[in-house]
């Protein structure tokens, strides 16, 4: 990087703005951040390996994976818009619009290069493999190869960095500790004799036409003040020096063991080496490989996909700018309790993790870490209570997922799949047993465990309300089957009308209307009478979709990544955003009227914001939405058709009798006989008044 000084007709209403998926968890602890750069307009670019990607951000929160060569190794930005990206395999890309678009650059040789440097818009160089350099004099349109004599760079030695101070005078450093200089644009080269041994040199930087530094192993800083004719060794305690940058007249140096040093006299002397360490961080990264500057912020990064920020110019105090998501884990489940707070779980063969977001899924904090593949499924409620299950048992939370209990065993022991927590604290857990077959669903009520031996493997559970729910066979060797409860899960009866095989997903719109995606056939079916009969969803439906109510929904074509909406219950679908961004996966979607969140492999969480003009109608403005209170009249418990935020009970004179929060049932046994009114406020602030009778 540069060292800066429905119907068969689908109607398309394509968004003219540049809406695209933004990743909010770009780096995990398996990544290594190899380099960073910030352009004058504040855009920060980060190159990471394992896997090789290049991201950019303008706010430090949301990131874009931009087009260009795969496995990037070096980025050089001439200004805010113009730059070049080269990969470890030698492919070169160019942008003129800040990597909104890019073109491939053909430099005409089969040699592999991994470093790029441009003096200006026209004159540039690429280098890397062995002793070869390629140059352009016309902004990358044509290239000519430069071969440094083998008498200067011996066989098996690679160029590690290149830097030109003007169109004619330039330098390269090698992995055997040599510095070479040219004064004629690379036609001829001279070896500069250093005082030291053949340890690697990693970076070379000139701060003006005369003063330069070459840094490398053992924390060695070789300094020249005469345009590279002679060099002085200045030892530091950085260890292996990996990056050096100039900012506001101060030189900054980072290296292995999270070491950091600075010089206020252009490299003549260096401050005592410090160890970068953020408070309350247990991260033990080995190397700091990159440093950049965002305004007054100093950012350093390296192993573990983590970026630290200095809280002062001297770098004596640090905080976490970005904490790498623990990986490589596969996201198993993600849920949001409200618009802001969400929980995500993932696992591998050896470890599992729980992450929590308090700001609409933009940033995530790890709240629990476990061995093996413990965290498999989440069930969260809008009052902050929730559970997560896995092979070893379950954990519980009462504060929206900010803290979790220790693992609690489940009885009987099995291999657990999906879970569902009811508002009264009861919960259900599906199993994927080997033997015996007949333990497909487990229930915990109070402190008591029970199992339903009439059910086989259960891999999907969804409740429409506290009374009506569905369970189905998921990913299993057993044939598909579905069951339904209408008494809160006390009994489950087969849904014999369902014949579409194993179930990937159940989506309940109302107690009567539900959609089911078949794992065996890949298609969707739906029922409008609570599962008594089924119909195949129209081929014009997107492969993934979510209904906010009976009319309004979003959908995604998982191949093209086009985003759709419907406002007529799926009769017609409109493309609202054309998007082929590869960030978007095909599973684990969270849907809001103003955004879609998607999580997939390696805890890669992406967010697609939707402009207000393109959004579906919210349920608040849907005049056909109705809150059902039943049974009415009643003598004991009154049920509400959905979980609500607030209920105030008043008698016929207007006197307040009782108040309830976050529930979907109330006990009226102690009320006097007569007529009452329920003033109900839903969780999305829809207000309704219902008349009831107590007998």
């Amino acid at each position: 990087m540069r060292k800066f000084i429905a119907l068969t007709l689908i109607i398309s209403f394509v968004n003219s703005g540049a809406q695209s998926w933004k990743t909010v968890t770009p780096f995990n602890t398996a990544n290594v951040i190899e380099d960073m750069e910030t352009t004058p307009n504040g855009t920060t670019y980060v190159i990471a390996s394992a896997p090789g990607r290049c991201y950019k951000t303008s706010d430090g929160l949301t990131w874009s994976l931009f087009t260009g060569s795969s496995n990037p190794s070096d980025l050089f930005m001439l200004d805010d818009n113009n730059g070049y990206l080269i990969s470890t395999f030698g492919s070169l890309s160019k942008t003129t619009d800040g990597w909104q678009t890019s073109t491939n650059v053909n430099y005409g040789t089969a040699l592999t290069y991994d470093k790029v440097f441009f003096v200006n818009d026209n004159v540039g160089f690429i280098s890397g493999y062995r002793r070869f350099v390629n140059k352009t004099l016309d902004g990358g349109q044509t290239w000519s190869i430069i071969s440094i004599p083998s008498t200067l760079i011996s066989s098996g030695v690679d160029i590690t960095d290149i830097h030109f101070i003007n169109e004619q005078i330039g330098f390269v450093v090698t992995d055997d500790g040599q510095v070479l200089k040219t004064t004629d644009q690379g036609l001829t080269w001279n070896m500069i004799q250093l005082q030291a041994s053949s340890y690697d040199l990693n970076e070379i930087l000139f701060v003006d036409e005369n003063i330069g530094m070459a840094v490398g192993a053992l924390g060695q800083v070789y300094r020249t003040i005469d345009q590279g004719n002679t060099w002085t060794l200045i030892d530091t305690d950085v260890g292996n020096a990996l990056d050096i940058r100039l900012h506001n007249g101060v030189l900054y140096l980072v290296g292995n063991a999270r070491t950091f040093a600075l010089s206020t006299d252009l490299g003549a002397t260096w401050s005592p080496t410090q160890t970068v360490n953020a408070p309350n961080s247990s991260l033990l990264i080995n190397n700091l490989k990159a440093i950049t500057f965002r305004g007054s912020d100093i950012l350093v990064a390296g192993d573990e996909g983590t970026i630290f920020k200095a809280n002062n110019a001297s770098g004596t105090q640090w905080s976490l700018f970005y904490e790498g998501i623990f990986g490589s884990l596969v996201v198993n489940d993600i849920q949001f309790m409200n618009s802001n707070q969400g929980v995500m779980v993932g696992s591998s063969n050896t470890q599992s993790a729980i992450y929590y977001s308090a700001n609409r899924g933009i940033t995530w904090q790890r709240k629990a870490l476990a061995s093996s593949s413990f965290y498999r499924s989440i069930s969260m409620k809008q009052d902050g209570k929730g559970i997560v299950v896995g092979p070893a048992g379950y954990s519980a939370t009462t504060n929206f997922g900010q803290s979790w209990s220790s693992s609690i065993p489940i009885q009987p022991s099995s291999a657990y799949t999906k879970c569902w927590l009811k508002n009264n604290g009861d919960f259900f857990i599906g199993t994927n047993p080997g033997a015996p077959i007949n333990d497909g669903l487990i229930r915990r009520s109070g402190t008591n465990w029970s199992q339903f031996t009439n059910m086989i493997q259960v891999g999907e559970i969804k409740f429409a309300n506290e009374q009506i729910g569905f369970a189905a066979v998921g990913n299993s060797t057993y044939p598909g089957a579905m069951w339904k409860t209408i008494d809160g899960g006390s009994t489950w009866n087969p849904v014999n009308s369902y014949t579409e095989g194993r179930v990937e997903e159940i989506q309940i719109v109302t107690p009567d209307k539900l959609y089911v995606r078949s794992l065996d056939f890949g298609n969707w079916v739906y029922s409008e009478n609570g599962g008594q009969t089924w119909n195949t969803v129209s081929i014009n439906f997107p492969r993934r979709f979510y209904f906010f109510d009976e009319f309004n929904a979003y959908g995604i074509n998982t191949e093209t990544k086009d985003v759709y909406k419907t406002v007529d219950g799926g009769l017609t679908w409109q493309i609202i955003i054309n998007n082929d961004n590869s960030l978007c996966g095909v599973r684990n979607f969270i849907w809001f009227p103003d955004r879609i969140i998607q999580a997939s492999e390696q805890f890669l969480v992406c967010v697609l914001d939707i402009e207000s003009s393109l959004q579906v109608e919210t349920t608040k403005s849907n005049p056909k939405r109705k809150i059902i209170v039943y049974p009415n009249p009643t003598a004991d418990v009154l049920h509400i058709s959905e979980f609500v935020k607030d209920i105030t009970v008043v008698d016929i004179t207007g006197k307040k009798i009782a108040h309830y929060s976050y529930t979907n049932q109330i006990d009226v046994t102690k009320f006097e006989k007569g007529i009452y009114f329920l003033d109900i406020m839903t969780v999305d602030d829809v207000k309704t008044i219902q008349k009831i009778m107590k007998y």
Side-chain angles (χ1 to χ4, degrees), residues 640 644-651 655-668 671 676-682 687:
I640 295 92
V644 298
K645 181 166 64 176
D646 188 86
I647 302 174
T648 301
V649 183
V650 297
D651 64 16
K655 179 182 177 182
K656 179 179 176 180
I657 302 300
H659 179 263
Y660 306 89
S661 297
Y662 292 103
T663 186
N664 68 343
Q665 61 183 26
I666 60 175
D667 188 346
V668 300
F671 289 11
Y676 298 88
F677 295 92
L678 306 185
D679 189 345
I680 300 172
M681 181 70 72
T682 68
K687 187 174 181 179

mmCIF file of all heavy atoms in Angstrom, residues 640 644-651 655-668 671 676-682 687:
data_model
loop_
_atom_site.group_PDB
_atom_site.id
_atom_site.type_symbol
_atom_site.label_atom_id
_atom_site.label_comp_id
_atom_site.label_asym_id
_atom_site.label_seq_id
_atom_site.Cartn_x
_atom_site.Cartn_y
_atom_site.Cartn_z
ATOM 1 N N ILE A 640 -54.276 -13.815 24.301
ATOM 2 C CA ILE A 640 -54.169 -12.808 23.242
ATOM 3 C C ILE A 640 -53.437 -13.450 22.078
ATOM 4 O O ILE A 640 -52.484 -14.214 22.268
ATOM 5 C CB ILE A 640 -53.438 -11.545 23.732
ATOM 6 C CG1 ILE A 640 -54.265 -10.855 24.841
ATOM 7 C CG2 ILE A 640 -53.227 -10.561 22.594
ATOM 8 C CD1 ILE A 640 -53.942 -11.273 26.225
ATOM 9 N N VAL A 644 -47.795 -9.154 23.378
ATOM 10 C CA VAL A 644 -47.971 -7.704 23.366
ATOM 11 C C VAL A 644 -47.132 -7.048 24.451
ATOM 12 O O VAL A 644 -46.731 -7.681 25.430
ATOM 13 C CB VAL A 644 -49.462 -7.317 23.530
ATOM 14 C CG1 VAL A 644 -50.288 -7.849 22.379
ATOM 15 C CG2 VAL A 644 -50.017 -7.813 24.857
ATOM 16 N N LYS A 645 -46.902 -5.765 24.268
ATOM 17 C CA LYS A 645 -46.031 -5.029 25.178
ATOM 18 C C LYS A 645 -46.756 -4.547 26.427
ATOM 19 O O LYS A 645 -46.175 -4.518 27.513
ATOM 20 C CB LYS A 645 -45.415 -3.840 24.433
ATOM 21 C CG LYS A 645 -44.472 -2.996 25.268
ATOM 22 C CD LYS A 645 -43.640 -2.053 24.400
ATOM 23 C CE LYS A 645 -44.469 -1.035 23.682
ATOM 24 N NZ LYS A 645 -43.636 -0.067 22.930
ATOM 25 N N ASP A 646 -48.034 -4.213 26.284
ATOM 26 C CA ASP A 646 -48.699 -3.558 27.404
ATOM 27 C C ASP A 646 -50.204 -3.832 27.347
ATOM 28 O O ASP A 646 -50.807 -3.759 26.267
ATOM 29 C CB ASP A 646 -48.438 -2.040 27.335
ATOM 30 C CG ASP A 646 -48.919 -1.309 28.568
ATOM 31 O OD1 ASP A 646 -48.163 -1.241 29.534
ATOM 32 O OD2 ASP A 646 -50.068 -0.812 28.554
ATOM 33 N N ILE A 647 -50.805 -4.174 28.499
ATOM 34 C CA ILE A 647 -52.256 -4.357 28.608
ATOM 35 C C ILE A 647 -52.738 -3.630 29.861
ATOM 36 O O ILE A 647 -52.236 -3.884 30.971
ATOM 37 C CB ILE A 647 -52.664 -5.839 28.716
ATOM 38 C CG1 ILE A 647 -52.159 -6.635 27.518
ATOM 39 C CG2 ILE A 647 -54.188 -5.974 28.833
ATOM 40 C CD1 ILE A 647 -52.407 -8.123 27.645
ATOM 41 N N THR A 648 -53.693 -2.754 29.696
ATOM 42 C CA THR A 648 -54.354 -2.099 30.822
ATOM 43 C C THR A 648 -55.819 -2.527 30.829
ATOM 44 O O THR A 648 -56.508 -2.420 29.810
ATOM 45 C CB THR A 648 -54.266 -0.569 30.727
ATOM 46 O OG1 THR A 648 -52.886 -0.183 30.706
ATOM 47 C CG2 THR A 648 -54.953 0.089 31.910
ATOM 48 N N VAL A 649 -56.288 -3.028 31.974
ATOM 49 C CA VAL A 649 -57.671 -3.488 32.122
ATOM 50 C C VAL A 649 -58.461 -2.415 32.864
ATOM 51 O O VAL A 649 -58.064 -1.986 33.956
ATOM 52 C CB VAL A 649 -57.737 -4.821 32.888
ATOM 53 C CG1 VAL A 649 -59.173 -5.316 32.959
ATOM 54 C CG2 VAL A 649 -56.834 -5.867 32.243
ATOM 55 N N VAL A 650 -59.582 -1.986 32.272
ATOM 56 C CA VAL A 650 -60.456 -1.004 32.918
ATOM 57 C C VAL A 650 -61.873 -1.558 32.953
ATOM 58 O O VAL A 650 -62.270 -2.354 32.096
ATOM 59 C CB VAL A 650 -60.431 0.355 32.187
ATOM 60 C CG1 VAL A 650 -59.047 0.970 32.219
ATOM 61 C CG2 VAL A 650 -60.903 0.203 30.749
ATOM 62 N N ASP A 651 -62.622 -1.167 33.986
ATOM 63 C CA ASP A 651 -64.002 -1.649 34.066
ATOM 64 C C ASP A 651 -64.921 -0.721 33.288
ATOM 65 O O ASP A 651 -64.467 0.230 32.629
ATOM 66 C CB ASP A 651 -64.437 -1.799 35.522
ATOM 67 C CG ASP A 651 -64.469 -0.479 36.279
ATOM 68 O OD1 ASP A 651 -64.460 0.591 35.634
ATOM 69 O OD2 ASP A 651 -64.511 -0.510 37.522
ATOM 70 N N LYS A 655 -62.552 2.774 35.395
ATOM 71 C CA LYS A 655 -61.574 2.607 36.470
ATOM 72 C C LYS A 655 -60.534 1.559 36.075
ATOM 73 O O LYS A 655 -60.872 0.485 35.588
ATOM 74 C CB LYS A 655 -62.274 2.187 37.762
ATOM 75 C CG LYS A 655 -61.331 1.972 38.933
ATOM 76 C CD LYS A 655 -62.097 1.511 40.168
ATOM 77 C CE LYS A 655 -61.158 1.232 41.324
ATOM 78 N NZ LYS A 655 -61.884 0.742 42.526
ATOM 79 N N LYS A 656 -59.239 1.869 36.317
ATOM 80 C CA LYS A 656 -58.159 0.933 36.024
ATOM 81 C C LYS A 656 -58.172 -0.207 37.041
ATOM 82 O O LYS A 656 -58.111 0.017 38.245
ATOM 83 C CB LYS A 656 -56.808 1.649 36.052
ATOM 84 C CG LYS A 656 -55.618 0.745 35.784
ATOM 85 C CD LYS A 656 -54.316 1.537 35.807
ATOM 86 C CE LYS A 656 -53.113 0.625 35.640
ATOM 87 N NZ LYS A 656 -51.835 1.372 35.670
ATOM 88 N N ILE A 657 -58.235 -1.442 36.536
ATOM 89 C CA ILE A 657 -58.311 -2.619 37.397
ATOM 90 C C ILE A 657 -56.962 -3.330 37.520
ATOM 91 O O ILE A 657 -56.571 -3.775 38.597
ATOM 92 C CB ILE A 657 -59.371 -3.608 36.873
ATOM 93 C CG1 ILE A 657 -60.729 -2.921 36.787
ATOM 94 C CG2 ILE A 657 -59.454 -4.849 37.750
ATOM 95 C CD1 ILE A 657 -61.238 -2.400 38.122
ATOM 96 N N ALA A 658 -56.230 -3.441 36.400
ATOM 97 C CA ALA A 658 -54.965 -4.175 36.413
ATOM 98 C C ALA A 658 -54.108 -3.731 35.237
ATOM 99 O O ALA A 658 -54.602 -3.121 34.274
ATOM 100 C CB ALA A 658 -55.216 -5.686 36.349
ATOM 101 N N HIS A 659 -52.821 -4.056 35.346
ATOM 102 C CA HIS A 659 -51.875 -3.716 34.282
ATOM 103 C C HIS A 659 -50.885 -4.862 34.103
ATOM 104 O O HIS A 659 -50.408 -5.444 35.080
ATOM 105 C CB HIS A 659 -51.118 -2.424 34.613
ATOM 106 C CG HIS A 659 -50.108 -2.042 33.577
ATOM 107 N ND1 HIS A 659 -48.773 -2.346 33.691
ATOM 108 C CD2 HIS A 659 -50.251 -1.387 32.390
ATOM 109 C CE1 HIS A 659 -48.134 -1.900 32.632
ATOM 110 N NE2 HIS A 659 -49.010 -1.306 31.832
ATOM 111 N N TYR A 660 -50.559 -5.202 32.822
ATOM 112 C CA TYR A 660 -49.636 -6.285 32.513
ATOM 113 C C TYR A 660 -48.657 -5.815 31.437
ATOM 114 O O TYR A 660 -49.002 -4.967 30.601
ATOM 115 C CB TYR A 660 -50.386 -7.521 31.994
ATOM 116 C CG TYR A 660 -51.492 -7.997 32.917
ATOM 117 C CD1 TYR A 660 -52.790 -7.488 32.786
ATOM 118 C CD2 TYR A 660 -51.245 -8.952 33.894
ATOM 119 C CE1 TYR A 660 -53.814 -7.920 33.618
ATOM 120 C CE2 TYR A 660 -52.261 -9.396 34.736
ATOM 121 C CZ TYR A 660 -53.542 -8.870 34.592
ATOM 122 O OH TYR A 660 -54.549 -9.302 35.420
ATOM 123 N N SER A 661 -47.446 -6.386 31.475
ATOM 124 C CA SER A 661 -46.422 -6.045 30.478
ATOM 125 C C SER A 661 -45.831 -7.309 29.886
ATOM 126 O O SER A 661 -45.629 -8.305 30.594
ATOM 127 C CB SER A 661 -45.307 -5.196 31.107
ATOM 128 O OG SER A 661 -45.807 -3.963 31.571
ATOM 129 N N TYR A 662 -45.582 -7.247 28.576
ATOM 130 C CA TYR A 662 -44.914 -8.307 27.832
ATOM 131 C C TYR A 662 -45.506 -9.685 28.138
ATOM 132 O O TYR A 662 -44.909 -10.522 28.809
ATOM 133 C CB TYR A 662 -43.410 -8.306 28.125
ATOM 134 C CG TYR A 662 -42.720 -7.087 27.559
ATOM 135 C CD1 TYR A 662 -42.353 -6.024 28.380
ATOM 136 C CD2 TYR A 662 -42.459 -6.994 26.196
ATOM 137 C CE1 TYR A 662 -41.740 -4.893 27.850
ATOM 138 C CE2 TYR A 662 -41.837 -5.875 25.661
ATOM 139 C CZ TYR A 662 -41.489 -4.834 26.491
ATOM 140 O OH TYR A 662 -40.884 -3.723 25.966
ATOM 141 N N THR A 663 -46.677 -9.886 27.625
ATOM 142 C CA THR A 663 -47.374 -11.153 27.829
ATOM 143 C C THR A 663 -48.371 -11.364 26.707
ATOM 144 O O THR A 663 -48.614 -10.460 25.894
ATOM 145 C CB THR A 663 -48.099 -11.158 29.190
ATOM 146 O OG1 THR A 663 -48.656 -12.444 29.421
ATOM 147 C CG2 THR A 663 -49.204 -10.108 29.238
ATOM 148 N N ASN A 664 -48.936 -12.560 26.659
ATOM 149 C CA ASN A 664 -50.035 -12.817 25.736
ATOM 150 C C ASN A 664 -51.176 -13.566 26.434
ATOM 151 O O ASN A 664 -51.984 -14.215 25.787
ATOM 152 C CB ASN A 664 -49.561 -13.585 24.500
ATOM 153 C CG ASN A 664 -49.141 -14.996 24.829
ATOM 154 O OD1 ASN A 664 -48.895 -15.319 25.986
ATOM 155 N ND2 ASN A 664 -49.053 -15.830 23.805
ATOM 156 N N GLN A 665 -51.223 -13.442 27.764
ATOM 157 C CA GLN A 665 -52.347 -14.013 28.502
ATOM 158 C C GLN A 665 -52.473 -13.305 29.847
ATOM 159 O O GLN A 665 -51.493 -12.806 30.407
ATOM 160 C CB GLN A 665 -52.161 -15.519 28.716
ATOM 161 C CG GLN A 665 -50.935 -15.898 29.526
ATOM 162 C CD GLN A 665 -50.771 -17.401 29.641
ATOM 163 O OE1 GLN A 665 -51.236 -18.147 28.799
ATOM 164 N NE2 GLN A 665 -50.116 -17.853 30.698
ATOM 165 N N ILE A 666 -53.702 -13.239 30.357
ATOM 166 C CA ILE A 666 -53.946 -12.662 31.681
ATOM 167 C C ILE A 666 -54.939 -13.547 32.424
ATOM 168 O O ILE A 666 -55.837 -14.149 31.827
ATOM 169 C CB ILE A 666 -54.471 -11.203 31.591
ATOM 170 C CG1 ILE A 666 -55.784 -11.137 30.823
ATOM 171 C CG2 ILE A 666 -53.438 -10.292 30.980
ATOM 172 C CD1 ILE A 666 -56.402 -9.747 30.804
ATOM 173 N N ASP A 667 -54.776 -13.610 33.717
ATOM 174 C CA ASP A 667 -55.639 -14.410 34.583
ATOM 175 C C ASP A 667 -56.727 -13.499 35.153
ATOM 176 O O ASP A 667 -56.433 -12.541 35.877
ATOM 177 C CB ASP A 667 -54.810 -15.029 35.704
ATOM 178 C CG ASP A 667 -55.613 -16.039 36.526
ATOM 179 O OD1 ASP A 667 -56.853 -16.057 36.402
ATOM 180 O OD2 ASP A 667 -54.987 -16.795 37.291
ATOM 181 N N VAL A 668 -57.996 -13.798 34.818
ATOM 182 C CA VAL A 668 -59.102 -12.942 35.255
ATOM 183 C C VAL A 668 -59.952 -13.614 36.338
ATOM 184 O O VAL A 668 -61.063 -13.158 36.622
ATOM 185 C CB VAL A 668 -59.992 -12.548 34.052
ATOM 186 C CG1 VAL A 668 -59.185 -11.780 33.020
ATOM 187 C CG2 VAL A 668 -60.657 -13.772 33.428
ATOM 188 N N PHE A 671 -61.277 -11.354 38.987
ATOM 189 C CA PHE A 671 -62.108 -10.222 38.593
ATOM 190 C C PHE A 671 -63.571 -10.509 38.964
ATOM 191 O O PHE A 671 -64.018 -11.657 38.964
ATOM 192 C CB PHE A 671 -62.029 -9.989 37.080
ATOM 193 C CG PHE A 671 -60.699 -9.437 36.609
ATOM 194 C CD1 PHE A 671 -59.595 -9.389 37.446
ATOM 195 C CD2 PHE A 671 -60.567 -8.961 35.315
ATOM 196 C CE1 PHE A 671 -58.394 -8.896 37.002
ATOM 197 C CE2 PHE A 671 -59.366 -8.469 34.860
ATOM 198 C CZ PHE A 671 -58.274 -8.435 35.708
ATOM 199 N N TYR A 676 -65.447 -5.753 30.815
ATOM 200 C CA TYR A 676 -64.191 -5.014 30.961
ATOM 201 C C TYR A 676 -63.654 -4.656 29.570
ATOM 202 O O TYR A 676 -64.063 -5.240 28.556
ATOM 203 C CB TYR A 676 -63.146 -5.845 31.717
ATOM 204 C CG TYR A 676 -63.552 -6.186 33.124
ATOM 205 C CD1 TYR A 676 -64.295 -7.338 33.393
ATOM 206 C CD2 TYR A 676 -63.196 -5.370 34.191
ATOM 207 C CE1 TYR A 676 -64.672 -7.661 34.683
ATOM 208 C CE2 TYR A 676 -63.564 -5.686 35.486
ATOM 209 C CZ TYR A 676 -64.302 -6.831 35.727
ATOM 210 O OH TYR A 676 -64.676 -7.143 37.015
ATOM 211 N N PHE A 677 -62.721 -3.716 29.565
ATOM 212 C CA PHE A 677 -62.066 -3.317 28.325
ATOM 213 C C PHE A 677 -60.557 -3.481 28.481
ATOM 214 O O PHE A 677 -59.985 -3.090 29.510
ATOM 215 C CB PHE A 677 -62.407 -1.868 27.963
ATOM 216 C CG PHE A 677 -63.860 -1.658 27.654
ATOM 217 C CD1 PHE A 677 -64.744 -1.281 28.654
ATOM 218 C CD2 PHE A 677 -64.344 -1.853 26.366
ATOM 219 C CE1 PHE A 677 -66.082 -1.103 28.389
ATOM 220 C CE2 PHE A 677 -65.691 -1.673 26.087
ATOM 221 C CZ PHE A 677 -66.571 -1.307 27.099
ATOM 222 N N LEU A 678 -59.935 -4.071 27.453
ATOM 223 C CA LEU A 678 -58.483 -4.237 27.433
ATOM 224 C C LEU A 678 -57.879 -3.187 26.501
ATOM 225 O O LEU A 678 -58.171 -3.166 25.302
ATOM 226 C CB LEU A 678 -58.091 -5.625 26.943
ATOM 227 C CG LEU A 678 -58.711 -6.837 27.647
ATOM 228 C CD1 LEU A 678 -58.101 -8.120 27.096
ATOM 229 C CD2 LEU A 678 -58.518 -6.745 29.149
ATOM 230 N N ASP A 679 -57.062 -2.302 27.065
ATOM 231 C CA ASP A 679 -56.321 -1.319 26.273
ATOM 232 C C ASP A 679 -54.957 -1.941 25.961
ATOM 233 O O ASP A 679 -54.082 -2.021 26.820
ATOM 234 C CB ASP A 679 -56.154 -0.028 27.070
ATOM 235 C CG ASP A 679 -55.592 1.097 26.227
ATOM 236 O OD1 ASP A 679 -55.078 0.812 25.136
ATOM 237 O OD2 ASP A 679 -55.643 2.261 26.670
ATOM 238 N N ILE A 680 -54.779 -2.405 24.710
ATOM 239 C CA ILE A 680 -53.624 -3.221 24.344
ATOM 240 C C ILE A 680 -52.669 -2.419 23.456
ATOM 241 O O ILE A 680 -53.096 -1.750 22.506
ATOM 242 C CB ILE A 680 -54.077 -4.495 23.596
ATOM 243 C CG1 ILE A 680 -54.999 -5.334 24.492
ATOM 244 C CG2 ILE A 680 -52.876 -5.315 23.134
ATOM 245 C CD1 ILE A 680 -55.633 -6.506 23.768
ATOM 246 N N MET A 681 -51.369 -2.499 23.776
ATOM 247 C CA MET A 681 -50.328 -1.923 22.932
ATOM 248 C C MET A 681 -49.380 -3.045 22.522
ATOM 249 O O MET A 681 -48.786 -3.716 23.360
ATOM 250 C CB MET A 681 -49.537 -0.846 23.683
ATOM 251 C CG MET A 681 -48.445 -0.178 22.843
ATOM 252 S SD MET A 681 -49.111 0.878 21.536
ATOM 253 C CE MET A 681 -49.719 2.264 22.531
ATOM 254 N N THR A 682 -49.233 -3.275 21.189
ATOM 255 C CA THR A 682 -48.371 -4.349 20.712
ATOM 256 C C THR A 682 -46.907 -3.912 20.794
ATOM 257 O O THR A 682 -46.591 -2.748 21.045
ATOM 258 C CB THR A 682 -48.713 -4.736 19.270
ATOM 259 O OG1 THR A 682 -48.359 -3.653 18.406
ATOM 260 C CG2 THR A 682 -50.187 -5.049 19.132
ATOM 261 N N LYS A 687 -52.010 0.135 18.709
ATOM 262 C CA LYS A 687 -52.931 0.192 19.842
ATOM 263 C C LYS A 687 -54.308 -0.314 19.436
ATOM 264 O O LYS A 687 -54.796 -0.009 18.347
ATOM 265 C CB LYS A 687 -53.040 1.622 20.367
ATOM 266 C CG LYS A 687 -53.851 1.752 21.645
ATOM 267 C CD LYS A 687 -53.800 3.176 22.178
ATOM 268 C CE LYS A 687 -54.587 3.307 23.474
ATOM 269 N NZ LYS A 687 -54.534 4.675 24.024
#
